[in-house]
Amino acid sequence: MGLASFWATAAEARQFLGSPSRHEVAVLLCYLLILALLDRGLPGRIVPGALLEDKTRIHYKCNGFLSLLLLSVAFTMGAAMRLYSLEVIAEKGVELFFTTLIFCFLVSLIIYTAGSGSKIKSSSLRPRKTGNFLHDWWFGVQLNPGFLGIDLKFFTIKAGMMGWFFLNLSIGAKQIQIEGSLTLPMILYQAFSMIYVLDFFWFEEYMTSTWDIIAENFGLMLIFGDLVWIPFTFSIQGWWLLAHKPVLTKFAAILNVIIFILGYAVFRGANMQKHLFKKDPTSLIWGQPPKTVGEKLLVSGYWGIARHCNYLGDIILAFSFSLPCGASSLVPYFYPLYLFILLLWRERRDEARCKEKYKDLWVEYCKTVPWRIFPYLY
Ligand code: NDP
């Protein structure tokens, strides 16, 4: 193949894949910049994070809900003023995907390089390298790197969740443009995922005690997971519904809503109970004083039904997001299937961490609550 035909093929591939243009790069950078300004500028509750090995704590500013509201108003006003159309994100989805993907690779390399050279000895910034480049790049080398006063790990998860929200808004607008209105399956998918994101930001402080925040280093895995995986794969049902029109009976829709509410109750209830217990170990659980193992591990409420009931709730929720798409294709079930595998793996990793940390207490907890995620099954 001559050089000229090589470049011609490469150009065709770029066109087919929707390669990033300056426009998409500008959109991504502007989005992150505005979010960073809102993060710094808006008031928010300051929440102390988990106690680190060196007995220090990171303090997180929780103003994501307000940021999301302001960004939503700005996004819709911009469209009303005809600066762009609401459908623009959905129309440029593939290009934005590749732009964000490349951005993640570049940023994670910078963070890996900066983190590897850190001379700071604190638990947050001390480099924790294995020496295997691929491992360290993927899993990261520092627990809580920051930039201009912003905790990068906390920031990227916010950026990803909001990205999913705006992608969904745009997908909804695109369906209205094509069909003239939203179909029932799209209304259900939009409502469920919107409630999930709003709930995430309403209870933003609960994030501060999650595994990602307290235990994972910040590397390509989290950067890619937050910025690419969350917005672009969690929205697959929405993309799919743009191209397909499954028929949903009233009965099926009501059942779908019930499954969503059930998943939400378990997911939110379990996470809330753990968070309240960590803040105040005497907080009532389902109206009763909490039962514990060694006063450290909660055995009441959802945490007495399975050791990771919060994962069970999340998996039920994820299925409820896909059920509006019917049963004609597996594609819209990508998210729940992925989450099922991820949480099974995560539970094993968390289990190993807790065994190491709580030792005999954990063994006793496992005896008292034998089920990992699914009561009476697993
Ligand atoms: P958890 O919020 O379950 O946190 C696990 C930690 O909680 C443990 O390491 C331990 O930490 C503490 N813990 C465990 N059992 C008990 C107990 N009985 N009593 C008191 N403390 C306990 O895990 P995640 O951070 O993984 O998940 C948080 C939420 O995020 C979940 O609902 C999950 O479904 C969701 N999630 C969603 C994802 C998605 O892609 N949609 C991906 C990942 C998570 P300690 O050392 O502090 O005691």
Side-chain angles (χ1 to χ4, degrees), residues 66 80 83 103 125 127 137 143 150 206 212 220 247 319 322 325 332 337 350 370:
L66 189 55
L83 298 177
F103 176 83
L125 299 174
W137 181 30
L143 189 59
I150 292 177
Y206 292 13
D212 281 354
L220 177 59
V247 179
F319 272 103
S322 299
C325 302
L337 291 174
D350 192 44

Side-chain angles (χ1 to χ4, degrees), residues 273-291:
Q273 287 176 351
K274 188 189 74 172
H275 191 78
L276 291 177
F277 174 72
K278 294 273 176 199
K279 265 174 74 170
D280 174 6
T282 62
S283 306
L284 297 185
I285 304 289
W286 288 342
Q288 303 286 328
K291 287 190 203 131

Side-chain angles (χ1 to χ4, degrees), residues 8-280:
T9 313
E12 269 171 35
R14 269 163 51 104
Q15 214 168 9
F16 175 72
L17 289 173
S19 73
S21 71
R22 267 179 292 177
H23 183 249
E24 282 83 46
V25 175
V27 168
L28 177 65
L29 294 182
C30 278
Y31 168 62
L32 294 176
L33 182 69
I34 293 172
L35 203 54
L37 289 173
L38 291 175
D39 187 294
R40 289 304 310 265
L42 290 178
R45 231 163 85 75
I46 304 293
V47 177
L51 194 63
L52 301 174
E53 271 169 35
D54 60 4
K55 307 292 173 223
T56 60
R57 286 179 199 272
I58 297 205
H59 287 80
Y60 297 95
K61 195 201 245 185
C62 295
N63 58 11
F65 196 81
L66 189 55
S67 300
L68 180 60
L69 288 188
L70 287 181
L71 267 179
S72 306
V73 171
F75 182 55
T76 9
M77 272 175 58
M81 290 158 72
R82 298 191 186 282
L83 298 177
Y84 46 78
S85 67
L86 281 181
E87 305 84 51
V88 66
I89 310 179
E91 284 163 359
K92 292 283 177 192
V94 181
E95 290 87 339
L96 279 168
F97 168 81
F98 280 106
T99 310
T100 316
L101 188 64
I102 295 168
F103 176 83
C104 289
F105 278 104
L106 294 178
V107 167
S108 58
L109 276 174
I110 295 171
I111 285 175
Y112 164 80
T113 313
S116 300
S118 168
K119 299 274 181 281
I120 303 175
K121 298 271 184 284
S122 69
S123 300
S124 289
L125 299 174
R126 163 172 66 83
R128 304 148 184 250
K129 291 179 70 170
T130 62
N132 176 332
F133 167 72
L134 284 181
H135 179 281
D136 292 344
W137 181 30
W138 175 251
F139 285 106
V141 292
Q142 287 176 305
L143 189 59
N144 302 110
F147 183 62
L148 299 176
I150 292 177
D151 181 88
L152 290 177
K153 208 197 276 182
F154 205 54
F155 178 78
T156 48
I157 176 85
K158 284 204 245 190
M161 291 298 282
M162 284 190 205
W164 180 26
F165 182 89
F166 288 111
L167 204 48
N168 276 343
L169 269 188
S170 190
I171 288 173
K174 188 74 195 163
Q175 188 174 65
I176 292 174
Q177 188 193 56
I178 300 170
E179 308 285 344
S181 63
L182 292 176
T183 58
L184 178 60
M186 183 66 99
I187 291 174
L188 290 182
Y189 165 69
Q190 290 281 346
F192 296 161
S193 51
M194 208 171 267
I195 292 171
Y196 189 78
V197 177
L198 289 172
D199 168 270
F200 174 90
F201 285 107
W202 188 256
F203 294 103
E204 190 181 1
E205 71 168 89
Y206 292 13
M207 261 306 286
T208 60
S209 61
T210 57
W211 159 271
D212 281 354
I213 296 289
I214 59 180
E216 294 279 21
N217 284 344
F218 188 62
L220 177 59
M221 182 178 79
L222 283 187
I223 300 174
F224 168 80
D226 291 345
L227 294 182
V228 175
W229 196 258
I230 291 180
F232 294 100
T233 69
F234 289 16
S235 56
I236 284 179
Q237 300 92 315
W239 297 106
W240 192 85
L241 287 171
L242 273 185
H244 302 85
K245 280 195 230 155
V247 179
L248 204 61
T249 62
K250 254 193 201 154
F251 177 72
I254 291 170
L255 202 62
N256 199 169
V257 172
I258 293 172
I259 294 172
F260 170 79
I261 293 172
L262 174 76
Y264 181 79
V266 177
F267 165 79
R268 182 44 66 216
N271 283 321
M272 192 181 272
Q273 287 176 351
K274 188 189 74 172
H275 191 78
L276 291 177
F277 174 72
K278 294 273 176 199
K279 265 174 74 170
D280 174 6

Side-chain angles (χ1 to χ4, degrees), residues 211 274 278 298 310-311 314 346 350 353 357-358:
W211 159 271
K274 188 189 74 172
K278 294 273 176 199
L298 180 62
N310 52 348
Y311 289 180
D314 214 357
R346 200 173 165 98
D350 192 44
R353 179 182 171 274
K357 179 173 172 183
Y358 292 109

